[in-house]
């Protein structure tokens, strides 16, 4: 770690000290009325990426972010600090029936600030489905290639050539033994120290999140960042957005504060993610924004189930790049949709995340935690949204106007989850696991494949019994050329309201079937470049 | 969605309407609250803390230190961790947790609601009884027409906040073989 000293320069904090424009809305004591060319709601993969492109085109840009501005010197690799500070609802956001736990970033940098740096282009099978089934234009592999090349360069997305940590090695070994194809994950890092703490905010600015790349890029061009401000509603006049109404958050960030902030702009870009963006449109309660009632529908999650294993060697899954190996075998062999496909990956295993993801309490829970250094975990991400039964969820507003998601897991996806439990156990035993434990209320520890197979075949595939998670909220404002079946067109422009665009993961008409960050970078680069031309003209 | 009776809400409401009977029929048997080590509690009431002081050792079992002094200290810290965590949650979530405690806190509800439904312990003293209660909630059917998913959700909430509070605390790290965050040179 001899390079560490050089890497740890908090150049983002320094930028603000040297004059980048920032308003911490929680510290305001007066209402504000602001004007700009473009206001962007959200600062994650979509918002941050668009901000730089629009600012470089000479436009005056404002970025509104609900979460706090924290920079590398604030990131101490401590779970008890990071989850409440950097995640939506302290990392405890759940679907309406509490069946799926949703991890979403809420900070300057959005999800890119706390994700695990996994960088996949949109799979060609997904792009093909959009073109053929969802009336999306301009998204062929050929047409998207230059945009992916551009963002891969901007975020330093490269092959990861270091030795994988033992958690990821188990995936590789098990798959190899079973003849299941697997691969290495590309990562958006520069000078990565292989610490393993991507999920608590990178303390050395190695992760190329929007916080350390495109947001500084926009700020250097004169953009203004407004943190701890929640975008509430659009005010519509004569079929166009006249103003965005925002509300300051309290300093702690879990409740609305006192100050109102009104922003008048030539153009409005929603980039608040698969739950946040539909929420602004729904709260605005205007028919023009949601003429066919599609907003917030077809919201996808890549529902994730998990399988734990006790290995005969130390895994120490809390250390080392968290996600470096994957298998798409069960995506690629299931593109005919006869059975639900899923992607296999590994998570980091810090103690708080591990302890809260395991089922049960008392002796059985403590026994696994005691063996935690030997614990290996696989996760399976279901490819939802490609089958007629897999219709996704619906964003709704709670009594206080904050959004929730009602997501019912379809029978089709449940069978994919059952298959994934089995496949993960097979891989873990093939790699030498002593014991395998599917994360399900009614499962225990199993010492043989035969035993676990029999159990998995009989487990109830039901909500709150199988432990389910999601870190990828996609859809809710889908792109398409048919205005009756989509919310925005294939350039992310709203079908009805000419000065509104959506540039984030909510534009996807299905799930991505891969970690969505690069898909959001690529589409938002394409959209923002086109928008910048239109606004400059 | 199917209409289903919301047990916790109903119980909370009956708790209020029947408050008058409390002095006649049930003298509170909530355990005393452990001291908060100078922490200013924002969410947890002394009654909540009394109950948590009995629940936590059952939820965390042998992951807590065995020496009685350290054991007691760890429980106090887990309770403080709970308060800090809940105080940072959205207000609506805090309100839901308040309803949960209103079920746990009230002996009256225990005495008037069939034990089969909630199984909330009467005195919070007997660890076996607390273990039975937790298992009852844990294994309750999330699709039950009578209680809906409330008991299972309540169980998951109690366990998750307890696990988060304990395993976020460096005192638990020896037990789970965690060496803590890497130390960076130059900081």
């Amino acid at each position: 770690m001899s390079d560490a000293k050089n890497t740890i320069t908090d150049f983002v904090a320094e930028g603000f000290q040297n004059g980048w424009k920032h308003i911490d809305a929680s510290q305001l004591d007066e209402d504000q009325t602001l004007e700009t060319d473009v206001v962007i709601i959200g600062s994650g993969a979509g918002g941050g990426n668009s901000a730089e492109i629009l600012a470089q085109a000479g436009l005056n840009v404002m970025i509104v972010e609900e979460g706090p501005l924290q920079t590398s010197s604030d990131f101490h690799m401590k779970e008890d600090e990071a989850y409440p500070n950097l995640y939506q609802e302290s990392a405890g956001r759940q679907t309406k029936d509490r069946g799926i736990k949703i991890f979403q970033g809420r900070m300057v940098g959005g999800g890119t600030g706390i994700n695990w740096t996994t960088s996949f282009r949109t799979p060609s099978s997904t792009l093909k489905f959009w073109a053929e089934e969802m009336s999306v234009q301009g998204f062929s592999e050929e047409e998207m290639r230059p945009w992916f090349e551009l963002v891969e360069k901007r975020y330093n997305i490269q092959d990861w050539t270091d030795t994988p940590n033992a958690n990821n090695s188990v995936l590789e070994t098990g798959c190899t033994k079973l003849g299941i194809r697997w691969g290495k994950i590309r990562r958006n890092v520069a000078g990565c120290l292989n610490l393993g703490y991507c999920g608590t905010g990178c303390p050395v600015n190695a992760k190329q999140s929007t916080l350390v790349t495109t947001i500084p890029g926009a700020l250097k061009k004169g953009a203004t960042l407004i943190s701890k401000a929640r975008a509430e509603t659009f005010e519509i006049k004569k079929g166009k957005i006249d103003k965005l109404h925002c509300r300051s958050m309290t300093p702690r960030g879990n409740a609305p504060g006192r100050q109102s902030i009104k922003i008048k702009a030539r153009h409005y870009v929603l980039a608040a993610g698969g739950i946040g963006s539909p929420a602004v449109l729904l709260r605005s309660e205007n028919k023009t924004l949601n003429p066919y009632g599609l907003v917030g529908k077809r919201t996808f999650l890549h529902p994730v189930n998990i399988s734990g294993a006790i290995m005969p060697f130390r895994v120490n899954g809390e250390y080392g790049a968290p996600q470096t190996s994957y298998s798409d075998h069960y995506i690629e062999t299931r593109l005919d949709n006869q059975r639900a496909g899923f992607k296999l990956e590994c998570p980091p295993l810090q103690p708080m995340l591990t302890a809260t993801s395991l089922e049960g309490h008392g002796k059985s829970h403590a026994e696994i935690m005691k063996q935690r250094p030997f614990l290996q975990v696989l996760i399976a991400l279901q490819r939802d949204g490609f089958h007629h039964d897999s219709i996704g969820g619906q964003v709704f507003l709670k009594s206080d106007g904050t959004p929730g998601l009602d997501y019912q897991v379809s029978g089709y996806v449940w069978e994919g989850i059952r298959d994934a439990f089995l496949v993960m156990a097979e891989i873990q035993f093939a790699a030498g696991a002593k014991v395998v434990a599917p994360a399900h209320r009614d499962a225990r520890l199993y010492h043989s494949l035969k035993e676990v197979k029999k159990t998995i075949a009989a487990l109830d595939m039901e909500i709150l019994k199988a432990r389910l998670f999601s870190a990828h909220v996609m859809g809710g404002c889908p792109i398409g050329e048919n205005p009756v079946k989509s919310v925005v067109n294939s350039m992310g422009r709203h079908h009805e309201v000419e000065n509104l665009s959506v540039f984030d993961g909510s534009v996807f008409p299905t799930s991505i079937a891969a970690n969505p960050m690069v898909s959001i970078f690529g589409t938002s680069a394409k959209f923002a470049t086109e928008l910048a031309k239109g606004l400059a003209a | 969605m199917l209409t289903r009776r919301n047990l916790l809400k109903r119980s909370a409401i009956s708790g209020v309407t029947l408050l008058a009977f409390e002095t006649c029929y049930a003298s509170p048997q909530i355990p005393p609250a452990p001291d908060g080590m100078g922490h200013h509690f924002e969410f947890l009431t002394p009654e909540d803390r009394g109950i948590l002081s009995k629940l936590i050792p059952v939820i965390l079992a042998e992951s807590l230190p065995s020496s009685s002094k350290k054991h007691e200290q760890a429980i106090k810290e887990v309770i403080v961790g709970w308060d800090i965590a809940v105080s940072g949650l959205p207000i609506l979530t805090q309100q839901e947790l308040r309803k949960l405690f209103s079920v746990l806190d009230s002996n009256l509800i225990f005495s008037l609601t069939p034990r089969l439904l909630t199984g909330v312990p009467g005195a919070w003293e007997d660890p076996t009884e607390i273990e039975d209660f937790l298992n009852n909630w844990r294994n309750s059917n999330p699709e039950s027409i009578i209680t809906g998913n409330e008991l299972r959700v309540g169980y998951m909430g109690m366990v998750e906040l307890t696990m988060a509070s304990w395993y976020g605390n460096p005192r638990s790290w020896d037990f789970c073989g965690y060496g803590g965050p890497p130390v960076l040179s130059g900081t």
Side-chain angles (χ1 to χ4, degrees), chain A residues 101 197 252 319 361-362 464, chain B residues 42 59 152 155 160 178 180:
Chain A
K101 194 168 164 187
Y197 287 73
R252 188 187 261 160
Y319 301 128
H361 68 274
L464 293 164
Chain B
E42 289 187 58
I59 292 175
R152 172 72 182 156
Y155 166 82
E160 188 169 330
Y178 175 53

Side-chain angles (χ1 to χ4, degrees), chain A residues 231-251:
Chain A
E232 293 198 313
T233 53
F234 289 125
E235 183 181 328
I236 306 278
K237 271 188 192 162
K238 294 178 189 159
K240 284 179 71 174
I241 300 175
D242 184 62
K243 276 188 209 76
L244 170 69
H245 292 259
C246 306
R247 166 79 37 192
S248 65
M249 300 297 287
T250 56

Side-chain angles (χ1 to χ4, degrees), chain A residues 302-315:
Chain A
H302 288 157
V304 166
N305 62 325
I306 67 184
S307 181
I310 302 296
M311 304 307 293
F313 47 84
R314 280 186 177 270
V315 176

